[in-house]
Structure formats: structure tokens, C-alpha cells
PDB file of all heavy atoms in Angstrom:
ATOM      1  N   HIS A1054     109.234 108.239 123.821  1.00 89.00           N
ATOM      2  CA  HIS A1054     110.301 107.498 124.464  1.00 89.00           C
ATOM      3  C   HIS A1054     110.315 106.065 123.834  1.00 89.00           C
ATOM      4  O   HIS A1054     111.419 105.548 123.454  1.00 89.00           O
ATOM      5  CB  HIS A1054     110.102 107.409 125.947  1.00 89.00           C
ATOM      6  CG  HIS A1054     111.110 106.640 126.646  1.00 89.00           C
ATOM      7  ND1 HIS A1054     112.464 107.156 126.840  1.00 89.00           N
ATOM      8  CD2 HIS A1054     111.085 105.443 127.374  1.00 89.00           C
ATOM      9  CE1 HIS A1054     113.192 106.279 127.477  1.00 89.00           C
ATOM     10  NE2 HIS A1054     112.390 105.184 127.829  1.00 89.00           N
ATOM     11  N   THR A1055     109.222 105.473 123.777  1.00 89.00           N
ATOM     12  CA  THR A1055     109.045 104.126 123.266  1.00 89.00           C
ATOM     13  C   THR A1055     109.441 103.987 121.832  1.00 89.00           C
ATOM     14  O   THR A1055     110.245 103.104 121.338  1.00 89.00           O
ATOM     15  CB  THR A1055     107.635 103.551 123.460  1.00 89.00           C
ATOM     16  OG1 THR A1055     107.271 103.650 124.844  1.00 89.00           O
ATOM     17  CG2 THR A1055     107.506 102.060 122.969  1.00 89.00           C
ATOM     18  N   ILE A1056     108.907 104.860 120.992  1.00 88.00           N
ATOM     19  CA  ILE A1056     109.275 104.933 119.536  1.00 88.00           C
ATOM     20  C   ILE A1056     110.734 105.126 119.346  1.00 88.00           C
ATOM     21  O   ILE A1056     111.355 104.454 118.496  1.00 88.00           O
ATOM     22  CB  ILE A1056     108.465 105.966 118.832  1.00 88.00           C
ATOM     23  CG1 ILE A1056     106.907 105.595 118.892  1.00 88.00           C
ATOM     24  CG2 ILE A1056     108.956 106.143 117.333  1.00 88.00           C
ATOM     25  CD1 ILE A1056     106.034 106.694 118.264  1.00 88.00           C
ATOM     26  N   TYR A1057     111.308 105.993 120.118  1.00 88.00           N
ATOM     27  CA  TYR A1057     112.751 106.296 120.041  1.00 88.00           C
ATOM     28  C   TYR A1057     113.586 105.090 120.305  1.00 88.00           C
ATOM     29  O   TYR A1057     114.608 104.706 119.615  1.00 88.00           O
ATOM     30  CB  TYR A1057     113.150 107.479 120.895  1.00 88.00           C
ATOM     31  CG  TYR A1057     114.605 107.960 120.783  1.00 88.00           C
ATOM     32  CD1 TYR A1057     115.011 108.702 119.745  1.00 88.00           C
ATOM     33  CD2 TYR A1057     115.529 107.368 121.688  1.00 88.00           C
ATOM     34  CE1 TYR A1057     116.365 109.093 119.664  1.00 88.00           C
ATOM     35  CE2 TYR A1057     116.896 107.813 121.635  1.00 88.00           C
ATOM     36  CZ  TYR A1057     117.268 108.631 120.610  1.00 88.00           C
ATOM     37  OH  TYR A1057     118.576 108.987 120.483  1.00 88.00           O
ATOM     38  N   LEU A1058     113.265 104.388 121.368  1.00 86.00           N
ATOM     39  CA  LEU A1058     114.044 103.170 121.815  1.00 86.00           C
ATOM     40  C   LEU A1058     113.817 101.987 120.910  1.00 86.00           C
ATOM     41  O   LEU A1058     114.809 101.252 120.728  1.00 86.00           O
ATOM     42  CB  LEU A1058     113.663 102.805 123.296  1.00 86.00           C
ATOM     43  CG  LEU A1058     114.051 103.840 124.339  1.00 86.00           C
ATOM     44  CD1 LEU A1058     113.637 103.312 125.749  1.00 86.00           C
ATOM     45  CD2 LEU A1058     115.584 104.020 124.326  1.00 86.00           C
ATOM     46  N   LYS A1059     112.620 101.748 120.450  1.00 86.00           N
ATOM     47  CA  LYS A1059     112.258 100.451 119.839  1.00 86.00           C
ATOM     48  C   LYS A1059     112.263 100.533 118.296  1.00 86.00           C
ATOM     49  O   LYS A1059     112.217  99.504 117.623  1.00 86.00           O
ATOM     50  CB  LYS A1059     110.950  99.961 120.315  1.00 86.00           C
ATOM     51  CG  LYS A1059     110.928  99.579 121.766  1.00 86.00           C
ATOM     52  CD  LYS A1059     109.593  98.945 122.201  1.00 86.00           C
ATOM     53  CE  LYS A1059     109.633  98.521 123.695  1.00 86.00           C
ATOM     54  NZ  LYS A1059     108.307  97.921 123.985  1.00 86.00           N
ATOM     55  N   GLU A1060     112.243 101.747 117.724  1.00 83.00           N
ATOM     56  CA  GLU A1060     112.078 101.829 116.296  1.00 83.00           C
ATOM     57  C   GLU A1060     113.128 102.678 115.553  1.00 83.00           C
ATOM     58  O   GLU A1060     112.846 103.327 114.616  1.00 83.00           O
ATOM     59  CB  GLU A1060     110.665 102.435 115.974  1.00 83.00           C
ATOM     60  CG  GLU A1060     109.506 101.520 116.528  1.00 83.00           C
ATOM     61  CD  GLU A1060     108.163 102.010 116.086  1.00 83.00           C
ATOM     62  OE1 GLU A1060     108.060 102.468 114.936  1.00 83.00           O
ATOM     63  OE2 GLU A1060     107.179 101.847 116.803  1.00 83.00           O
ATOM     64  N   GLY A1061     114.313 102.507 116.111  1.00 79.00           N
ATOM     65  CA  GLY A1061     115.524 103.066 115.375  1.00 79.00           C
ATOM     66  C   GLY A1061     115.854 104.520 115.597  1.00 79.00           C
ATOM     67  O   GLY A1061     116.375 105.209 114.775  1.00 79.00           O
ATOM     68  N   GLY A1062     115.513 105.035 116.861  1.00 87.00           N
ATOM     69  CA  GLY A1062     115.794 106.369 117.130  1.00 87.00           C
ATOM     70  C   GLY A1062     115.002 107.413 116.421  1.00 87.00           C
ATOM     71  O   GLY A1062     113.782 107.279 116.219  1.00 87.00           O
ATOM     72  N   VAL A1063     115.670 108.481 115.989  1.00 86.00           N
ATOM     73  CA  VAL A1063     115.004 109.544 115.342  1.00 86.00           C
ATOM     74  C   VAL A1063     114.258 109.142 114.044  1.00 86.00           C
ATOM     75  O   VAL A1063     113.215 109.648 113.798  1.00 86.00           O
ATOM     76  CB  VAL A1063     116.112 110.682 115.046  1.00 86.00           C
ATOM     77  CG1 VAL A1063     115.322 111.857 114.194  1.00 86.00           C
ATOM     78  CG2 VAL A1063     116.651 111.267 116.244  1.00 86.00           C
ATOM     79  N   SER A1064     114.832 108.169 113.320  1.00 84.00           N
ATOM     80  CA  SER A1064     114.235 107.766 112.087  1.00 84.00           C
ATOM     81  C   SER A1064     112.830 107.122 112.231  1.00 84.00           C
ATOM     82  O   SER A1064     112.101 107.111 111.393  1.00 84.00           O
ATOM     83  CB  SER A1064     115.178 106.710 111.397  1.00 84.00           C
ATOM     84  OG  SER A1064     115.348 105.553 112.229  1.00 84.00           O
ATOM     85  N   GLY A1065     112.663 106.622 113.497  1.00 84.00           N
ATOM     86  CA  GLY A1065     111.324 106.033 113.749  1.00 84.00           C
ATOM     87  C   GLY A1065     110.230 107.081 113.808  1.00 84.00           C
ATOM     88  O   GLY A1065     109.077 106.750 113.472  1.00 84.00           O
ATOM     89  N   PHE A1066     110.499 108.347 114.002  1.00 86.00           N
ATOM     90  CA  PHE A1066     109.526 109.418 113.985  1.00 86.00           C
ATOM     91  C   PHE A1066     109.257 109.895 112.494  1.00 86.00           C
ATOM     92  O   PHE A1066     108.375 110.712 112.409  1.00 86.00           O
ATOM     93  CB  PHE A1066     109.988 110.565 114.863  1.00 86.00           C
ATOM     94  CG  PHE A1066     110.084 110.234 116.279  1.00 86.00           C
ATOM     95  CD1 PHE A1066     111.376 110.108 116.841  1.00 86.00           C
ATOM     96  CD2 PHE A1066     109.000 110.115 117.039  1.00 86.00           C
ATOM     97  CE1 PHE A1066     111.419 109.757 118.266  1.00 86.00           C
ATOM     98  CE2 PHE A1066     109.089 109.754 118.418  1.00 86.00           C
ATOM     99  CZ  PHE A1066     110.319 109.682 118.968  1.00 86.00           C
ATOM    100  N   TYR A1067     110.062 109.515 111.537  1.00 87.00           N
ATOM    101  CA  TYR A1067     109.877 109.913 110.204  1.00 87.00           C
ATOM    102  C   TYR A1067     109.432 108.788 109.333  1.00 87.00           C
ATOM    103  O   TYR A1067     109.551 108.924 108.077  1.00 87.00           O
ATOM    104  CB  TYR A1067     111.083 110.631 109.704  1.00 87.00           C
ATOM    105  CG  TYR A1067     111.255 111.971 110.343  1.00 87.00           C
ATOM    106  CD1 TYR A1067     111.967 112.188 111.463  1.00 87.00           C
ATOM    107  CD2 TYR A1067     110.689 113.133 109.701  1.00 87.00           C
ATOM    108  CE1 TYR A1067     112.073 113.436 112.045  1.00 87.00           C
ATOM    109  CE2 TYR A1067     110.787 114.332 110.255  1.00 87.00           C
ATOM    110  CZ  TYR A1067     111.452 114.524 111.470  1.00 87.00           C
ATOM    111  OH  TYR A1067     111.620 115.815 111.983  1.00 87.00           O
ATOM    112  N   ARG A1068     108.961 107.721 109.878  1.00 82.00           N
ATOM    113  CA  ARG A1068     108.387 106.632 109.085  1.00 82.00           C
ATOM    114  C   ARG A1068     107.162 107.069 108.385  1.00 82.00           C
ATOM    115  O   ARG A1068     106.180 107.599 109.013  1.00 82.00           O
ATOM    116  CB  ARG A1068     108.097 105.423 109.953  1.00 82.00           C
ATOM    117  CG  ARG A1068     107.571 104.233 109.147  1.00 82.00           C
ATOM    118  CD  ARG A1068     107.464 102.957 110.011  1.00 82.00           C
ATOM    119  NE  ARG A1068     106.941 101.861 109.226  1.00 82.00           N
ATOM    120  CZ  ARG A1068     107.026 100.589 109.590  1.00 82.00           C
ATOM    121  NH1 ARG A1068     107.661 100.291 110.715  1.00 82.00           N
ATOM    122  NH2 ARG A1068     106.501  99.664 108.856  1.00 82.00           N
ATOM    123  N   GLY A1069     107.126 106.903 107.068  1.00 76.00           N
ATOM    124  CA  GLY A1069     105.907 107.404 106.324  1.00 76.00           C
ATOM    125  C   GLY A1069     106.009 108.767 105.772  1.00 76.00           C
ATOM    126  O   GLY A1069     105.051 109.364 105.258  1.00 76.00           O
ATOM    127  N   LEU A1070     107.193 109.403 105.982  1.00 85.00           N
ATOM    128  CA  LEU A1070     107.384 110.815 105.571  1.00 85.00           C
ATOM    129  C   LEU A1070     107.214 111.030 104.092  1.00 85.00           C
ATOM    130  O   LEU A1070     106.623 111.934 103.649  1.00 85.00           O
ATOM    131  CB  LEU A1070     108.742 111.366 106.043  1.00 85.00           C
ATOM    132  CG  LEU A1070     109.012 112.783 105.688  1.00 85.00           C
ATOM    133  CD1 LEU A1070     107.999 113.842 106.275  1.00 85.00           C
ATOM    134  CD2 LEU A1070     110.470 113.244 106.107  1.00 85.00           C
ATOM    135  N   THR A1071     107.836 110.093 103.338  1.00 82.00           N
ATOM    136  CA  THR A1071     107.771 110.228 101.837  1.00 82.00           C
ATOM    137  C   THR A1071     106.286 110.215 101.345  1.00 82.00           C
ATOM    138  O   THR A1071     105.963 111.195 100.557  1.00 82.00           O
ATOM    139  CB  THR A1071     108.569 109.023 101.211  1.00 82.00           C
ATOM    140  OG1 THR A1071     109.888 109.135 101.646  1.00 82.00           O
ATOM    141  CG2 THR A1071     108.505 109.162  99.696  1.00 82.00           C
ATOM    142  N   PRO A1072     105.440 109.287 101.650  1.00 77.00           N
ATOM    143  CA  PRO A1072     104.081 109.363 101.174  1.00 77.00           C
ATOM    144  C   PRO A1072     103.309 110.546 101.781  1.00 77.00           C
ATOM    145  O   PRO A1072     102.418 111.114 101.091  1.00 77.00           O
ATOM    146  CB  PRO A1072     103.456 108.063 101.637  1.00 77.00           C
ATOM    147  CG  PRO A1072     104.273 107.547 102.771  1.00 77.00           C
ATOM    148  CD  PRO A1072     105.660 107.989 102.387  1.00 77.00           C
ATOM    149  N   THR A1073     103.735 111.032 102.911  1.00 79.00           N
ATOM    150  CA  THR A1073     103.120 112.193 103.514  1.00 79.00           C
ATOM    151  C   THR A1073     103.380 113.439 102.662  1.00 79.00           C
ATOM    152  O   THR A1073     102.482 114.238 102.340  1.00 79.00           O
ATOM    153  CB  THR A1073     103.547 112.404 104.920  1.00 79.00           C
ATOM    154  OG1 THR A1073     103.193 111.266 105.718  1.00 79.00           O
ATOM    155  CG2 THR A1073     102.860 113.623 105.539  1.00 79.00           C
ATOM    156  N   LEU A1074     104.674 113.576 102.323  1.00 87.00           N
ATOM    157  CA  LEU A1074     105.091 114.732 101.460  1.00 87.00           C
ATOM    158  C   LEU A1074     104.460 114.614 100.079  1.00 87.00           C
ATOM    159  O   LEU A1074     103.956 115.626  99.549  1.00 87.00           O
ATOM    160  CB  LEU A1074     106.604 114.802 101.355  1.00 87.00           C
ATOM    161  CG  LEU A1074     107.361 115.132 102.604  1.00 87.00           C
ATOM    162  CD1 LEU A1074     108.831 115.043 102.488  1.00 87.00           C
ATOM    163  CD2 LEU A1074     106.983 116.554 103.164  1.00 87.00           C
ATOM    164  N   ILE A1075     104.478 113.418  99.491  1.00 83.00           N
ATOM    165  CA  ILE A1075     103.885 113.265  98.184  1.00 83.00           C
ATOM    166  C   ILE A1075     102.381 113.573  98.212  1.00 83.00           C
ATOM    167  O   ILE A1075     101.832 114.156  97.311  1.00 83.00           O
ATOM    168  CB  ILE A1075     104.140 111.873  97.645  1.00 83.00           C
ATOM    169  CG1 ILE A1075     105.629 111.685  97.413  1.00 83.00           C
ATOM    170  CG2 ILE A1075     103.383 111.679  96.296  1.00 83.00           C
ATOM    171  CD1 ILE A1075     106.074 110.238  97.060  1.00 83.00           C
ATOM    172  N   GLY A1076     101.701 113.133  99.387  1.00 79.00           N
ATOM    173  CA  GLY A1076     100.299 113.372  99.474  1.00 79.00           C
ATOM    174  C   GLY A1076      99.925 114.749  99.800  1.00 79.00           C
ATOM    175  O   GLY A1076      98.943 115.281  99.397  1.00 79.00           O
ATOM    176  N   MET A1077     100.872 115.413 100.622  1.00 87.00           N
ATOM    177  CA  MET A1077     100.603 116.788 101.008  1.00 87.00           C
ATOM    178  C   MET A1077     100.748 117.825  99.842  1.00 87.00           C
ATOM    179  O   MET A1077     100.068 118.818  99.792  1.00 87.00           O
ATOM    180  CB  MET A1077     101.575 117.232 102.085  1.00 87.00           C
ATOM    181  CG  MET A1077     101.431 118.678 102.638  1.00 87.00           C
ATOM    182  SD  MET A1077      99.668 119.054 103.109  1.00 87.00           S
ATOM    183  CE  MET A1077      99.497 117.916 104.481  1.00 87.00           C
ATOM    184  N   ALA A1078     101.605 117.490  98.878  1.00 91.00           N
ATOM    185  CA  ALA A1078     101.822 118.404  97.754  1.00 91.00           C
ATOM    186  C   ALA A1078     100.491 118.696  97.019  1.00 91.00           C
ATOM    187  O   ALA A1078     100.116 119.849  96.896  1.00 91.00           O
ATOM    188  CB  ALA A1078     102.902 117.920  96.803  1.00 91.00           C
ATOM    189  N   PRO A1079      99.811 117.670  96.542  1.00 90.00           N
ATOM    190  CA  PRO A1079      98.520 117.936  95.907  1.00 90.00           C
ATOM    191  C   PRO A1079      97.429 118.432  96.875  1.00 90.00           C
ATOM    192  O   PRO A1079      96.584 119.315  96.538  1.00 90.00           O
ATOM    193  CB  PRO A1079      98.098 116.634  95.291  1.00 90.00           C
ATOM    194  CG  PRO A1079      98.793 115.572  96.107  1.00 90.00           C
ATOM    195  CD  PRO A1079     100.128 116.203  96.473  1.00 90.00           C
ATOM    196  N   TYR A1080      97.435 117.891  98.137  1.00 91.00           N
ATOM    197  CA  TYR A1080      96.393 118.341  99.060  1.00 91.00           C
ATOM    198  C   TYR A1080      96.427 119.763  99.413  1.00 91.00           C
ATOM    199  O   TYR A1080      95.576 120.567  99.268  1.00 91.00           O
ATOM    200  CB  TYR A1080      96.513 117.496 100.395  1.00 91.00           C
ATOM    201  CG  TYR A1080      95.398 117.978 101.444  1.00 91.00           C
ATOM    202  CD1 TYR A1080      94.125 117.731 101.249  1.00 91.00           C
ATOM    203  CD2 TYR A1080      95.935 118.769 102.474  1.00 91.00           C
ATOM    204  CE1 TYR A1080      93.233 118.150 102.194  1.00 91.00           C
ATOM    205  CE2 TYR A1080      94.976 119.205 103.414  1.00 91.00           C
ATOM    206  CZ  TYR A1080      93.639 118.931 103.234  1.00 91.00           C
ATOM    207  OH  TYR A1080      92.729 119.329 104.176  1.00 91.00           O
TER     208      TYR A1080
END
């Protein structure tokens, strides 16, 4: 609830997704 209200809605839950995907590929 807090992240959704204070950090831009749905996009707040995907912060850091790019490095996660880039890191997950080799891992």
C-alpha cells in the first residue's frame, strides 16, 4: 500500500527491474 501511494503506483514495484534482469541472465 505504501509503495503504491508514495512511489509512483505500479512503477514503484518495478524499480531496479533492469539490473535484476541483466543480473539474472548470467546467474
Side-chain angles (χ1 to χ4, degrees):
H1054 183 69
T1055 303
I1056 294 171
Y1057 182 82
L1058 291 179
K1059 296 185 177 181
E1060 300 187 34
V1063 175
S1064 62
F1066 294 106
Y1067 285 91
R1068 179 169 180 165
L1070 178 62
T1071 299
T1073 301
L1074 291 175
I1075 295 174
M1077 180 52 65
Y1080 175 75

